[in-house]
Amino acid sequence: MDGPWDSVDLKPTVKRVDVWEISGKPKGQRLHELEDDIKLATRQIYKCCHHPVAWYNRAIYLEELGYSDLAAGDFYKAILLCNAALDNVEETRAMGDYVRLILGMGLWMFQPELWNQVTAEDFRAAIEDTLSQTRIRSYDQLTRCMNDMQAFWDLYHLGEETVTKLFEKIPSDLDKDTAESLLARPLQAVDALRASYRLWQKHSGITDDLQLIETMRTGNSYSRQWPWLRKSRLRRSKKLLADINREMEKASDGKLVVRNSAIRDGLGGDSKESPDVLGVFAAKDIAAGDLALLDSTMLSALDYPDTNSCSHCQRIFSWPPTHCSNLNCSTRFCTDLCLEMASECYHKPLCGKDFSWMYTEGEPRENQHAAIMLRIIAASVQRGCHPLEHTLIARLTATYAGDKLEGYSFKGQITTPHRILEQLTIDPFSTPHFDTWVLRTIRSRLMTNMLKDHSRSRDMVAVMPLYSLFNHSCSAPLSYRRIEHHEGTSDLALCADVGIRRGDEVFVKYVACEDGSEVRERRERLWCWFGGGCACERCAREAGDAGEEGEEMEVGEGKGRS
C-alpha cells in the first residue's frame, strides 16, 4: 500500500447505506490526501506492527476510501492487540506486555510531561484507557463496516458476549449512551436480517427456508483491483508463461500451447489487462474424440473432511492409504504419487498440524474456500515467496469488469485466515505478505476460476491450473470426460467433440450451453465472469437474429479468465 498508486479507476468495494451517517466516496483533493494518509499509516505499521492505534488509523482511512472489507481486517487486528493487552490471558500475555510497552514508549516520547506530572500508577491507567478507547472505537467502526457490506449475520454473531467484553472497562471520556448504542447494534442486525429475509423470500424465488437462510449468511462487497497493486503482479512474466507451456505440453501430450489471445485486440489500449490476455491454442491437429488435456491440481477441497478420501486428489480409498513419514501426521493419501506431489508443493508446513477446526466451526461452502486458501498459504510458505507471485496464483486473473459482487463472510475472510496464519507460526501483524488486501486478491482470483463438482456423493470445489487459462465460447469444441483411473478425483479431462485445426484458439464452456438454450439466459449466467453479456460468435449471431445486439460486450469474443 505504500508504493505508487494508480487511482484513475479507483472504485469502492461497497455502496454505502447511510444508516450511521457514513459519507460517500471521497473525491478530488481528499482522495489524494487519503492516498498519502494510507501510505504513511502503512509505513507506521511496518515500523511498529503491534501498535493497535496504527492499525486503527489505517482502517479509518481505508473505510473513508470505500474499502470497508480491508478496513474490517485492520479494525480486527487493532481489537486483537487491545484484547491481548487488556485481558491478561496466558496465551496472549507476552504479546499483550509488548503492546503495553509500545504504548508506554509512545507516551514517554511524545508526551514526556506525563512523567513529571503523574505517578507510575496513573501512567499505567493512561495506557489502559488508551487501549480501552481504541478497542471500543475499533469495534464501533467494525460494525459499520459489516453494515456497509450488508453482513448482518456476521454483525449479529460478533455477539453480545464479545460486545459485553469490550465494555467491561468503559474509558473515562466515553459516555454511557454511546456504549449502550454500540451494544444495541447486534440487535439492530437482527431487525435487518428479518427485513432481508422478507425481501429475499418475496423476490428470490427460493421456497426452501434452509436454502434461503444459507443464502443470507453472507454479505456483499465488490471485487476490485487495488490501486497500489504492482503492475508486475498484473502480468504473466515470460518465465511464468514458459513454465505454463511446459506444464501444458506434458498435460496435453503436445496438443496445446498457451499464448496471447486474439481477444486482447478488442479490449482497447486503456485496459490494464489488455497486453496480458492469454488463450489456449492447438499446437497440432486434434481429431474428434481425442483426449486434449488431463489437468491435475493441488487446489481441491470437499465440503467436509473425509477420512476415506485422499487429502490431495479427493479419491475415495479402494486400497490401504499412504502416510507421510511423520508419525504425528494424520494426513492420508491414495498413492505415493499424491504424497510426493503434496510434499513438493504444500504439505511440509502443514505436516503434523490439526486444521479440523475449519470444518467443525464453519459453513460447508466457506470451509471449502478456507481449505483451498490454507493450501495456497502453505505453498507460499514452503516455496518462500509472496503468495501473489506463486505460480498457481500469478497465472490466475479475477473479473474486475463491471460491478461484480462477491459474497462476504467476516469469519471466512478475516478470522479464519488469521487463525491459519497463527497456526502456521506466521505473525499476521508483522507479515505484509498476508495483509488483508493480499488475501482478498487471492480470494477474488480463486473465486473467478473455481469449479464445482456435484456429481459425487460429496460436493467438491477445485481450481485447475491449466483449465483456468482457457477462454469461453458457447460453442466450444471441448467437453468434460470421465476416464479410467481418474474417476472420483479432482483431475479434469477435456476431449475434443469435433476436429480442431492447428493454430486455432481452443475454447471451453464456463457454464452448460445446450444447443437449445436462449442467448439471454446464457448471458445472464455468464455475466459474473464478463461484467457484461457474452459476445462469442454464437451469442453474437443469435443476439443479432433476436434483435439483442445492444447486450454484447465491446470485445470480439467472450473474454475468459485468462
Side-chain angles (χ1 to χ4, degrees):
M1 284 187 192
D2 62 332
W5 279 34
D6 183 356
S7 304
V8 175
D9 298 323
L10 187 148
K11 294 181 180 179
T13 56
V14 294
K15 286 186 177 178
R16 287 179 166 159
V17 180
D18 291 331
V19 176
W20 291 310
E21 299 180 351
I22 301 173
S23 61
K25 176 185 174 183
K27 295 181 181 180
Q29 182 60 32
R30 182 54 185 151
L31 182 60
H32 296 298
E33 291 173 355
L34 279 175
E35 178 182 338
D36 293 338
D37 290 339
I38 290 173
K39 287 180 180 179
L40 178 60
T42 301
R43 294 186 189 113
Q44 290 174 339
I45 288 172
Y46 290 163
K47 292 178 181 177
C48 200
C49 60
H50 291 91
H51 198 308
V53 178
W55 290 102
Y56 174 84
N57 287 339
R58 191 176 76 167
I60 288 291
Y61 301 137
L62 288 169
E63 186 182 17
E64 185 177 349
L65 194 61
Y67 291 157
S68 294
D69 48 346
L70 303 188
D74 283 6
F75 286 131
Y76 179 65
K77 289 177 181 176
I79 289 172
L80 289 180
L81 291 170
C82 291
N83 286 347
L86 290 171
D87 294 346
N88 197 29
V89 177
E90 183 62 34
E91 293 178 356
T92 58
R93 184 167 296 155
M95 184 169 70
D97 290 343
Y98 186 54
V99 171
R100 285 176 174 272
L101 175 63
I102 291 171
L103 282 173
M105 290 179 65
L107 290 174
W108 174 70
M109 291 175 64
F110 296 106
Q111 301 181 49
E113 67 277 3
L114 284 177
W115 286 103
N116 300 323
Q117 298 175 4
V118 300
T119 64
E121 187 61 35
D122 290 335
F123 192 74
R124 282 192 292 269
I127 293 173
E128 185 163 316
D129 201 51
T130 299
L131 288 166
S132 297
Q133 288 183 48
T134 304
R135 181 162 70 170
I136 289 178
R137 289 170 181 167
S138 296
Y139 179 77
D140 175 23
Q141 297 297 329
L142 179 57
T143 57
R144 293 173 186 260
C145 291
M146 294 298 103
N147 184 77
D148 285 349
M149 295 178 285
Q150 299 181 334
F152 303 122
W153 192 279
D154 285 327
L155 178 54
Y156 173 73
H157 283 284
L158 286 177
E160 290 187 351
E161 179 180 346
T162 304
V163 179
T164 302
K165 173 184 174 182
L166 294 178
F167 291 101
E168 285 176 351
K169 299 176 181 179
I170 299 177
S172 56
D173 62 345
L174 184 74
D175 63 274
K176 291 188 177 180
D177 288 341
T178 302
E180 290 173 0
S181 174
L182 294 175
L183 284 167
R185 294 223 171 126
L187 300 179
Q188 295 170 358
V190 173
D191 293 336
L193 277 170
R194 287 172 178 159
S196 297
Y197 178 83
R198 289 191 292 269
L199 285 173
W200 274 98
Q201 196 175 41
K202 181 178 180 180
H203 299 292
S204 69
I206 301 174
T207 56
D208 186 330
D209 276 353
L210 291 178
Q211 184 183 355
L212 187 59
I213 291 172
E214 177 65 25
T215 303
M216 292 172 52
R217 285 183 184 275
T218 58
N220 292 294
S221 65
Y222 292 102
S223 177
R224 301 300 190 203
Q225 185 169 286
W226 312 119
W228 53 80
L229 189 59
R230 295 179 191 170
K231 290 184 178 179
S232 62
R233 291 175 180 159
L234 295 171
R235 303 281 188 268
R236 273 68 69 96
S237 67
K238 292 181 179 179
K239 180 182 183 303
L240 176 59
L241 185 57
D243 291 342
I244 289 171
N245 270 315
R246 279 191 289 271
E247 295 174 27
M248 184 66 80
E249 182 179 15
K250 181 178 179 180
S252 69
D253 195 22
K255 297 184 182 74
L256 301 172
V257 64
V258 179
R259 61 173 185 258
N260 284 332
S261 172
I263 292 174
R264 66 194 288 263
D265 298 332
L267 288 176
D270 295 333
S271 173
K272 295 179 185 179
E273 296 189 12
S274 60
D276 197 37
V277 178
L278 300 180
V280 180
F281 293 79
K284 61 176 70 171
D285 290 343
I286 304 174
D290 280 0
L291 176 65
L293 177 70
L294 181 59
D295 199 5
S296 300
T297 184
M298 74 171 198
L299 300 178
S300 64
L302 298 173
D303 49 2
Y304 59 90
D306 187 350
T307 56
N308 294 317
S309 295
C310 175
S311 172
H312 181 76
C313 75
Q314 317 307 331
R315 185 200 305 269
I316 296 175
F317 297 131
S318 56
W319 50 79
T322 298
H323 299 264
C324 73
S325 58
N326 183 357
L327 298 179
N328 295 319
C329 182
S330 61
T331 307
R332 306 197 297 175
F333 303 91
C334 62
T335 62
D336 289 337
L337 178 60
C338 276
L339 170 58
E340 180 183 348
M341 293 177 66
S343 298
E344 288 180 357
C345 297
Y346 62 86
H347 182 64
K348 292 177 184 178
L350 306 180
C351 188
K353 296 182 174 66
D354 181 12
F355 289 91
S356 59
W357 55 266
M358 287 195 308
Y359 289 91
T360 57
E361 299 177 10
E363 299 300 321
R365 179 173 54 184
E366 280 298 335
N367 294 343
Q368 292 173 315
H369 300 165
I372 289 182
M373 181 66 78
L374 169 63
R375 287 197 180 174
I376 281 293
I377 293 173
S380 303
V381 171
Q382 183 162 323
R383 183 167 289 192
C385 66
H386 192 289
L388 294 180
E389 295 172 357
H390 189 282
T391 177
L392 289 181
I393 294 300
R395 72 182 62 191
L396 302 178
T397 59
T399 299
Y400 297 117
D403 280 340
K404 181 190 175 185
L405 278 173
E406 285 186 357
Y408 181 86
S409 162
F410 180 68
K411 182 178 185 300
Q413 298 186 41
I414 302 296
T415 62
T416 294
H418 188 96
R419 187 170 172 183
I420 286 173
L421 292 171
E422 288 186 324
Q423 194 166 347
L424 292 174
T425 65
I426 300 169
D427 184 359
F429 303 98
S430 64
T431 313
H433 282 14
F434 298 103
D435 205 346
T436 306
W437 72 266
V438 177
L439 298 176
R440 286 282 291 151
T441 302
I442 294 172
R443 183 182 174 91
S444 292
R445 295 185 185 183
L446 293 176
M447 295 300 293
T448 298
N449 295 277
M450 192 171 289
L451 297 177
K452 300 176 183 178
D453 182 1
H454 305 293
S455 63
R456 45 193 281 167
S457 59
R458 302 276 309 286
D459 284 350
M460 179 174 67
V461 297
V463 177
M464 310 305 297
L466 298 177
Y467 174 85
S468 297
L469 299 168
F470 284 85
N471 291 311
H472 166 85
S473 173
C474 294
S475 54
L478 297 181
S479 60
Y480 309 113
R481 292 284 192 277
R482 295 188 181 280
I483 60 175
E484 192 176 358
H485 306 306
H486 294 272
E487 288 193 44
T489 74
S490 56
D491 293 347
L492 177 66
L494 293 175
C495 293
D497 294 329
V498 297
I500 303 171
R501 294 179 300 178
R502 177 184 177 184
D504 287 350
E505 182 165 1
V506 184
F507 298 93
V508 296
K509 300 173 184 176
Y510 292 174
V511 298
C513 301
E514 295 81 2
D515 290 340
S517 59
E518 295 283 342
V519 61
R520 183 180 294 274
E521 176 191 351
R522 295 198 306 272
R523 284 180 164 176
E524 286 178 356
R525 295 172 66 190
L526 289 162
W527 192 277
C528 62
W529 277 286
F530 306 147
C534 174
C536 71
E537 183 179 347
R538 177 183 171 187
C539 284
R541 182 182 66 252
E542 294 179 12
D545 293 341
E548 297 179 4
E549 293 93 332
E551 292 190 8
E552 292 183 23
M553 294 175 63
E554 293 182 358
V555 300
E557 187 65 70
K559 180 184 178 297
R561 294 170 285 211
S562 298

